[in-house]
Amino acid sequence: GLLLCKLGRAVIPLPGGCVLGARPIDRHLEGLEAMGAAITRTPDGLEILAPHGLHGTSYTFAKKSHTGTEALLLSAVLAKGQTVLSNAGLEPEIDDLITFLNRMGAKVRRVGESIEIMGVKELHGATHRVMSDRNEAVSYACMAVATGGDIIVENACPAHLRTFLTKLKKIGGSYEVSDYGIRFFREQELKALDLTTAPEPGFMTDWQPLWTTMMTQARGTSHIIEAVHNNRLVFTKELNKMGAKIKLYDPGIANPAKTYQFEWPEPVHNFHAAAVTGPTPLRGTHLTVPDLRGGATLVMAAIIAKGDSVIDGVEHIDRGYEHFDTRLRNLSANIERLD
């Protein structure tokens, strides 16, 4: 979006990222076209033209999109006129971006589930402290609670973790909020709980793999429905190799087109629910990382398990966690990075 506003042309490869099923960028492209861009698909990716820049528009997301909202927000701040994004994402990362852009001279305001942007001619420099990574905070929290540990995650913000903290209390986990962050621990046996992932303010899809792994140590059977990505339960195969009791199934959603955030009907059928029965002892084995968050969850499972585990594909983990092995060693995990 910024390339189009400044240069009138952008040539980009098709995006990569974690393989979590079908992840079309149609909502991004439809929004850019509504703002005056012409898009051509090439063997190398996309050529997007807006020789006279982008103009304001009113665009409604068919389904909420976190990065789609951010992409169009970035496109609209330098576009001519006003843009209104309806059914926009509600994630705190989006509001953090809005705060930053406004400090740079943008004119953006959130109105309920819509965002109004009045384009400006230019942005200027600003100083901004990026919000803490709530996915990282939840990752360490799940590890601590699942293993019976007791840790403090500095700078974790409870306002960004409300849904997770509510669910954590229900399964028997504990937390304490202080000025320095949040302490995570447990004083009782964990118990099973059903949940469904959803866009903000729901339970984040990125938290689901870690939560699912934690539920292998809870008493009873938890039913977890993944409603944001259409193939985000592949990591459970690796957990079952370790002795977990996880069964994938079709949850029989009455109105899947409305409930699921991915396109329906899906091009390839996948199971979207997991029944996790615990507590089950896990045993170390050879594992392969399927994606970023799935990688963190396999490390978590290896810490819980008896015996040694060797995990391949850790470059996926490095994309989302800084010094992951070092920080876990500092928390007493017996973990070593191999060449």
Side-chain angles (χ1 to χ4, degrees):
L2 294 175
L3 287 175
L4 294 176
C5 289
K6 288 178 172 290
L7 304 176
R9 181 172 181 261
V11 179
I12 60 172
L14 289 176
C18 292
V19 180
L20 306 175
R23 303 181 70 184
I25 56 171
D26 296 357
R27 298 165 201 170
H28 300 234
L29 302 183
E30 289 171 359
L32 288 173
E33 287 177 325
M35 298 175 75
I39 301 172
T40 302
R41 296 179 182 272
T42 72
D44 297 324
L46 299 170
E47 180 179 19
I48 309 176
L49 300 176
H52 304 295
L54 298 175
H55 58 71
T57 189
S58 293
Y59 180 76
T60 301
F61 288 96
K63 294 177 182 287
K64 280 189 164 52
S65 173
H66 185 160
T67 52
T69 298
E70 292 170 333
L72 296 189
L73 175 59
L74 288 167
S75 304
V77 290
L78 292 177
K80 301 179 183 70
Q82 185 183 53
T83 297
V84 178
L85 303 177
S86 300
N87 197 31
L90 298 170
E91 287 78 8
E93 290 85 0
I94 297 173
D95 290 325
D96 194 49
L97 176 60
I98 290 173
T99 298
F100 179 43
L101 290 171
N102 283 339
R103 287 177 178 170
M104 299 179 74
K107 296 180 179 179
V108 184
R109 69 178 188 134
R110 184 185 284 281
V111 182
E113 295 191 15
S114 296
I115 299 175
E116 297 178 354
I117 309 107
M118 179 58 69
V120 297
K121 290 186 176 181
E122 63 181 8
L123 300 175
H124 54 72
T127 299
H128 178 73
R129 181 183 295 276
V130 178
M131 64 173 277
S132 59
D133 186 338
R134 57 195 179 130
N135 292 330
E136 191 171 23
V138 166
S139 299
Y140 290 112
C142 286
M143 292 183 183
V145 172
T147 60
D150 189 336
I151 70 169
I152 294 170
V153 181
E154 292 185 11
N155 299 318
C157 178
H160 299 160
L161 302 174
R162 286 194 184 101
T163 304
F164 173 78
L165 296 176
T166 298
K167 298 290 187 184
L168 186 64
K169 277 285 190 183
K170 288 183 178 179
I171 67 167
S174 300
Y175 68 92
E176 293 178 354
V177 177
S178 297
D179 292 340
Y180 50 73
I182 306 177
R183 174 192 172 203
F184 294 99
F185 59 101
R186 68 176 164 104
E187 299 176 315
Q188 57 184 297
E189 183 181 51
L190 300 179
K191 53 181 178 288
L193 180 73
D194 298 344
L195 64 80
T196 301
T197 63
E200 189 73 22
F203 194 92
M204 279 190 71
T205 177
D206 282 277
W207 302 342
Q208 178 267 118
L210 296 139
W211 184 275
T212 298
T213 304
M214 183 168 61
M215 288 297 94
T216 67
Q217 304 307 300
R219 184 161 301 281
T221 299
S222 302
H223 293 271
I224 298 169
I225 299 175
E226 173 54 61
V228 176
H229 290 296
N230 80 322
N231 195 23
R232 195 163 201 171
L233 293 169
V234 293
F235 68 92
T236 59
K237 180 180 178 181
E238 298 293 285
L239 294 181
N240 282 338
K241 285 167 53 177
M242 304 179 75
K245 294 180 180 178
I246 303 175
K247 182 180 180 180
L248 302 185
Y249 66 97
D250 186 341
I253 300 295
N255 189 346
K258 181 178 180 180
T259 301
Y260 292 140
Q261 294 303 302
F262 46 83
E263 299 302 324
W264 189 269
E266 56 187 338
V268 178
H269 175 263
N270 296 295
F271 290 117
H272 305 303
V276 186
T277 301
T280 53
L282 302 180
R283 58 181 179 273
T285 188
H286 199 127
L287 305 165
T288 301
V289 171
D291 55 73
L292 165 57
R293 218 62 66 186
T297 206
L298 292 186
V299 172
M300 171 181 171
I303 293 172
I304 296 170
K306 291 184 178 180
D308 295 339
S309 294
V310 177
I311 302 175
D312 294 331
V314 295
E315 64 274 5
H316 292 292
I317 301 174
D318 291 337
R319 288 175 43 234
Y321 295 88
E322 187 176 26
H323 307 307
F324 195 45
D325 53 317
T326 301
R327 290 180 175 179
L328 289 173
R329 274 196 299 275
N330 290 339
L331 291 171
S332 76
N334 185 4
I335 181 172
E336 179 184 0
R337 181 179 289 262
L338 304 177
D339 292 332

